[in-house]
Amino acid sequence: MRRTALPAVMLVLGALLGACDGETVSFADARALADGAASATDGKAAKFTTDVTAGTMRSKSQGQARVARTGTALAMTTDFLGEPLELRLVDKVVFAKVPENVREDVPGGKPWVKVSPDGADPFSQVAGGSIDQLAKQNDPGRALDQLRRAGTLTESGHADLDGVSTEHYRLDVDMAALGGDLPAGLSAEAVGELNGKLGKIPMEVWLDDAHRPVQIVLDLAPVLAASGVPDSAMARIVTRYREWGTQADIQAPPPEEIGEIPAG
């Protein structure tokens, strides 16, 4: 009887183990996930779209990014404050194309300016921080680096995303561990003003079969809750990447097209 039952038991166990192996994901912790995805995307380019939702407000961006360990280059268009704005991020410098209706404020009417969160020119002082974050929040390399330094894996598995099989990871990002390099436009001062109420924020990452990100979602609802906004308010950033391997020749604007708005 035992000899007869043993092969059947082994077959059942084999089937169960095979099913578990089919659900096994590639990375067991946040650091391994970040390192694996960074290696898979180094030197490659993709197109992206980003939806930012905060309560009733919504903003969209689209463009392409060329990822490298030395720094991502990207070119994008976003509806900043309801108006289309073209941005480029090259060698860690953000360039913004000045809207034509205010281009007379730039000496020589030049179409591009450098934007810096701590710039002395009026454009940077008014919108420098927001524009800098708009560009950098679309950088998958930066998101992966934040996971490497401050992420904790909470759940993993497989999921279909628009009919494509992906590995789906849920993580928590510790704000304190990030120091001043905070996601989603959050400043260290703003986080400090929350008096320790903001500990971790959730992030989700979907990877394709080559370990490249196809979607990254950052849930900012804890930020609103810590700020006293009603729990019903939703806030999140959804960035989707597609066509990894696309050609993307992203360059800084020509020097003769870059102007400088005089400090006010």
Side-chain angles (χ1 to χ4, degrees), residues 10 12 15-16 22 64 87 110 130 145 168 172 176 186 193 204-205 223 233:
M10 294 301 294
V12 171
L16 290 174
Q64 55 184 358
L87 301 174
K110 295 184 178 182
S130 299
D145 183 60
H168 180 202
D172 285 335
L186 298 174
E193 290 174 1
E204 296 180 69
V205 178
V223 179

Side-chain angles (χ1 to χ4, degrees), residues 172-197:
D172 285 335
V173 181
D174 185 353
M175 292 291 96
L178 287 178
D181 182 23
L182 299 173
L186 298 174
S187 66
E189 292 78 11
V191 173
E193 290 174 1
L194 295 176
N195 296 319
K197 296 179 182 177

Side-chain angles (χ1 to χ4, degrees), residues 17-251:
L17 289 171
C20 291
D21 289 342
E23 292 299 311
T24 300
V25 295
S26 301
F27 306 110
D29 57 60
R31 178 177 289 275
L33 165 62
D35 290 343
S39 295
T41 56
D42 187 29
K44 295 181 175 61
K47 297 178 181 178
F48 67 84
T49 57
T50 299
D51 284 304
V52 180
T53 303
T56 59
M57 296 185 297
R58 188 173 182 181
S59 173
K60 289 188 174 183
S61 305
Q62 55 279 320
Q64 55 184 358
R66 186 180 68 248
V67 183
R69 294 185 185 276
T70 54
T72 293
L74 63 82
M76 60 179 285
T77 302
T78 183
D79 54 343
F80 181 68
L81 300 178
E83 296 291 335
L85 179 65
E86 186 176 345
L87 301 174
R88 293 184 195 176
L89 173 63
V90 181
D91 293 332
K92 301 181 181 179
V93 178
V94 178
F95 301 89
K97 196 166 189 178
V98 182
E100 291 188 8
N101 60 340
V102 294
R103 201 166 291 176
E104 65 271 10
D105 295 333
V106 184
K110 295 184 178 182
W112 290 90
V113 293
K114 293 181 181 180
V115 181
S116 172
D118 54 2
D121 63 279
F123 194 74
S124 290
Q125 289 186 338
V126 171
S130 299
I131 291 175
D132 184 75
Q133 288 293 339
L134 271 172
K136 293 179 180 177
Q137 74 186 14
N138 295 290
D139 175 6
R142 184 184 185 216
L144 293 172
D145 183 60
Q146 290 171 339
L147 284 180
R148 182 182 295 106
R149 291 185 287 121
T152 300
L153 182 65
T154 61
E155 185 180 345
S156 61
H158 290 255
D160 284 342
L161 188 65
D162 292 340
V164 176
S165 178
T166 66
E167 293 185 0
H168 180 202
Y169 297 86
R170 297 179 187 272
L171 309 104
D172 285 335
V173 181
D174 185 353
M175 292 291 96
L178 287 178
D181 182 23
L182 299 173
L186 298 174
S187 66
E189 292 78 11
V191 173
E193 290 174 1
L194 295 176
N195 296 319
K197 296 179 182 177
L198 181 61
K200 299 178 180 180
I201 58 176
M203 182 185 289
E204 296 180 69
V205 178
W206 288 255
L207 302 180
D208 65 13
D209 57 5
H211 301 155
R212 302 169 301 195
V214 291
Q215 181 168 270
I216 298 176
V217 175
L218 188 65
D219 184 357
L220 300 180
V223 179
L224 297 187
S227 302
V229 177
D231 293 340
S232 58
M234 182 180 72
R236 64 178 190 165
I237 300 174
V238 181
T239 305
R240 307 196 68 171
Y241 300 93
R242 68 188 192 280
E243 299 181 34
W244 281 103
T246 191
Q247 297 298 312
D249 183 20
I250 303 170
Q251 304 290 336

